[in-house]
Amino acid sequence: MPPAVSVQHVHKTYDKTPVVNDLSFTIEAGEMFGLLGPNGAGKSTTIRMLTTLTRPTQGQIEIAGYNVVRKPSQVKENIGVVLQQISVDNDLTVWENLELHGRLHHLSNPKRQSLINQWLEYVELIEKKDALVKTLSGGMKRRLQIARALLHQPKILFLDEPTVGLDPQTRRRLWEIIRDLNRQGMTMLLTTHYMDEVEFLCDAYGTGKPGRIGIMDAGQLIELGTLQQFKARHGEGLIMKQVGDRFEYTFFPTLEQANAYLNNLPDKTGMMVRPSNLEDIFVELTGRQLD
Ligand code: ADP
């Protein structure tokens, strides 16, 4: 089986400015992959190239074995896309939006009706099927987008910043839906600038198979792996030292080593030991904090 996503030496340039700069990575079928990075890192541009919405300036992208430039129709059959901008039609009902999408994908009846029912049940919008989309909350619209993206039974789901602007309960509900779909076998690529989102979705602290995280900055992938791999590379223990109104961070391979180092210091004023987390590693790598 070909990889779900294959990106090889991809560049994207707008007006001579590189936005994506020699990006390469592969996602296997069934993986959960979180692309994390600050605003302007090039995440949306990457997802737009992967989903045929914009062409790479240079390099190769294959989705389910199909080249995005040469075989866009086959790519579109294999993918579902949930973009940042709410792209459902506000003047149609929930059902009509799905009906339209199903027809565009040549799903014939009775299968179309049964799939619409199935996915509306799944995202808990069946009671709203006759409501005009403009009357739905932001979270409901996002769930409708997910139902629509799944209607033609794609193998790979792309989600660009899926929970921006949503309240905490709605974010949690969406995370559960996204994680459940992945556990059913759907390959997922999502972009986000929220640490907690990748920690939850890539099951960084859980017991299941952890997803991989790609950290993107200034158009490049600067780190790739599971959170456990990141910690093994950068250090599992951390000493924070207050210097004026800021903190300095020093990584240690293990928490025990960080503790031993601190215990041997005569003056421990303003210092504390704790386990490292994704945000520490992100700040170490990029020299910046998100938001
Ligand atoms: P992210 O999703 O990580 O926030 P984007 O991919 O949206 O990053 O943007 C990366 C950079 O590319 C930004 O500096 C943005 O202004 C620029 N950019 C994105 N789309 C266009 C475009 N259509 N024309 C010119 N510049 C663009």
Side-chain angles (χ1 to χ4, degrees):
M1 193 171 12
V5 174
S6 165
V7 176
Q8 300 299 328
H9 301 295
V10 166
H11 295 250
K12 179 73 188 181
T13 309
Y14 285 117
D15 307 324
K16 297 192 184 143
T17 308
V19 168
V20 171
N21 191 0
D22 199 20
L23 189 65
S24 298
F25 64 91
T26 301
I27 304 176
E28 299 303 329
E31 261 199 274
M32 171 74 84
F33 189 93
L35 198 55
L36 176 73
N39 284 328
K43 305 181 300 294
S44 295
T45 305
T46 301
I47 227 171
R48 291 176 63 79
M49 290 192 286
L50 296 177
T51 55
T52 78
L53 295 171
T54 189
R55 278 178 170 231
T57 311
Q58 201 184 313
Q60 297 287 323
I61 302 176
E62 287 184 2
I63 303 293
Y66 296 106
N67 185 288
V68 289
V69 176
R70 289 195 294 276
K71 304 275 182 198
S73 310
Q74 286 89 333
V75 169
K76 282 183 207 156
E77 272 171 34
N78 279 281
I79 64 172
V81 186
V82 179
L83 291 181
Q84 243 179 88
Q85 311 84 335
I86 303 279
S87 55
V88 279
D89 192 326
N90 273 313
D91 294 320
L92 297 180
T93 66
V94 165
W95 187 278
E96 285 165 348
N97 263 282
L98 296 183
E99 183 71 24
L100 183 65
H101 184 82
R103 285 176 192 227
L104 286 173
H105 277 272
H106 309 292
L107 291 172
S108 52
N109 273 333
K111 192 174 178 193
R112 188 170 72 237
Q113 306 306 307
S114 103
L115 283 169
I116 294 176
N117 260 311
Q118 175 194 323
W119 289 116
L120 281 182
E121 293 273 3
Y122 182 74
V123 299
E124 297 169 37
L125 280 178
I126 196 75
E127 258 98 79
K128 293 279 179 187
K129 70 185 170 67
D130 297 320
L132 283 177
V133 169
K134 61 181 157 203
T135 67
L136 301 183
S137 68
M140 286 178 187
K141 284 185 189 172
R142 203 53 60 89
R143 281 186 274 139
L144 174 59
Q145 277 185 291
I146 293 176
R148 193 183 59 171
L150 294 168
L151 197 61
H152 57 284
Q153 299 172 293
K155 294 198 192 89
I156 309 158
L157 191 61
F158 292 91
L159 302 130
D160 192 14
E161 301 273 4
T163 65
V164 164
L166 302 178
D167 62 65
Q169 288 84 347
T170 310
R171 292 182 77 208
R172 284 268 152 176
R173 184 70 200 104
L174 276 177
W175 289 355
E176 281 159 10
I177 290 173
I178 293 167
R179 189 163 70 176
D180 182 57
L181 285 166
N182 176 248
R183 288 185 174 165
Q184 290 177 40
M186 178 87 66
T187 310
M188 299 282 192
L189 183 149
L190 77 127
T191 72
T192 186
H193 63 279
Y194 297 127
M195 300 286 172
D196 56 347
E197 192 148 287
V198 269
E199 284 176 345
F200 182 93
L201 290 172
C202 294
D203 204 19
Y205 300 107
T207 49
K209 184 179 183 296
R212 281 189 305 152
I213 304 164
I215 298 183
M216 201 170 171
D217 193 26
Q220 295 191 310
L221 208 53
I222 57 169
E223 187 57 292
L224 176 67
T226 63
L227 181 59
Q228 282 313 320
Q229 288 169 339
F230 287 5
K231 287 184 175 186
R233 280 173 216 157
H234 298 274
E236 288 178 10
L238 193 72
I239 292 184
M240 290 171 69
K241 182 182 178 190
Q242 190 160 11
V243 183
D245 61 353
R246 39 187 309 275
F247 282 97
E248 279 178 4
Y249 299 85
T250 312
F251 282 87
F252 290 81
T254 65
L255 200 55
E256 291 69 37
Q257 280 165 287
N259 272 315
Y261 181 89
L262 189 68
N263 286 337
N264 281 330
L265 288 181
D267 181 8
K268 304 177 181 60
T269 316
M271 296 170 86
M272 71 170 269
V273 170
R274 64 168 173 76
S276 68
N277 59 37
L278 181 58
E279 185 165 342
D280 300 322
I281 293 166
F282 181 89
V283 173
E284 165 88 355
L285 283 167
T286 64
R288 280 186 282 149
Q289 296 200 16
L290 294 174
D291 290 329

